[in-house]
Amino acid sequence: LGSWRVSRDACAQCQGPLRACRVGSDGDLVCSCGSRYGDRTLGGTSDFPTKVADGLLFVFPQTGPEAFDNAAKVEVCVLAELKDPAWEKRYVKIIPAGVRDFPCGWDTMVENTLDPAHFCSAHHNTLGNRYTDPAAFTFRPKENTTAESGLGLRGDMGVVEFRPPCLVRYLPDYAGMPFQGSLVIGTYCVPTRPGW
């Protein structure tokens, strides 16, 4: 007890859902068929490695003998502003926006959150106006783009970045959101089921 464990949702004995198990006093999962699962293995099905950072649970969808060692080598993508003391006085509040499950593909979600025009259109009359704000805007790379490091763009509407595998970071600065870099919007785009 006291740490996160994420596993496949199937009992090795009866194939029933592990989400229907109860947690025993020793921390083991106890299936309705009587199977008990403890430590790192669930009747032959390994747990997925996890990490917790900034109150977020990161799950590494890999099993096998090297899964935990591989996950330990990975630095999870978090908002640097939450860790760097140099940013401490620049931000007055940290506002958690919550969690939403959108019925769309992961690629569509990431593309939508990377597109600054999204704010004027999807958040009409709160962060812009879809009828009067649309205009051409320019973005240029602010760093080298790689599959490992992601991308960063600076332009007319501020700074937008993608950090693999799931973080979109946006520092808006335009007429509809004139924050001059004092606001950071962090969005973690995570699929919650196949096809989403």
Side-chain angles (χ1 to χ4, degrees):
L1 295 175
S3 62
W4 285 97
R5 292 183 54 198
V6 178
S7 304
R8 283 190 168 76
D9 189 23
C11 171
Q13 184 174 330
C14 71
Q15 295 304 305
L18 288 178
R19 65 182 175 271
C21 290
R22 65 179 176 80
V23 178
S25 60
D26 57 0
D28 286 358
L29 290 178
V30 182
C31 183
S32 59
C33 72
S35 296
R36 294 185 71 86
Y37 302 108
D39 197 12
R40 282 191 178 176
T41 60
L42 293 170
T45 304
S46 298
D47 284 358
F48 296 112
T50 62
K51 286 186 182 181
V52 175
D54 293 335
L56 299 171
L57 175 65
F58 291 84
V59 179
F60 298 83
Q62 178 186 18
T63 58
E66 297 175 3
F68 284 83
D69 291 336
N70 290 342
K73 298 173 190 171
V74 174
E75 186 176 335
V76 295
C77 52
V78 294
L79 294 169
E81 292 82 3
L82 295 175
K83 299 287 185 200
D84 188 345
W87 292 84
E88 192 173 308
K89 293 184 176 138
R90 191 169 181 179
Y91 298 101
V92 178
K93 296 179 182 178
I94 296 173
I95 303 169
V99 175
R100 295 182 68 186
D101 197 4
F102 288 99
C104 67
W106 176 86
D107 53 345
T108 302
M109 182 66 184
V110 171
E111 180 181 346
N112 200 319
T113 56
L114 281 171
D115 182 359
H118 158 91
F119 290 102
C120 299
S121 180
H123 303 281
H124 177 64
N125 280 339
T126 58
L127 298 176
N129 184 305
R130 70 174 62 116
Y131 304 112
T132 60
D133 288 342
F137 49 87
T138 303
F139 275 93
R140 293 193 174 21
K142 70 181 207 63
E143 60 195 28
N144 289 333
T145 299
T146 69
E148 292 78 26
S149 67
L151 65 92
L153 304 170
R154 182 181 308 279
D156 298 337
M157 297 183 81
V159 173
V160 64
E161 299 174 345
F162 173 70
R163 300 292 171 230
C166 60
L167 176 61
V168 175
R169 181 177 169 267
Y170 182 42
L171 289 85
D173 186 19
Y174 64 100
M177 296 179 78
F179 294 101
Q180 289 119 16
S182 65
L183 172 71
V184 177
I185 299 171
T187 303
Y188 288 90
C189 302
V190 180
T192 57
R193 64 179 78 169
W196 282 34

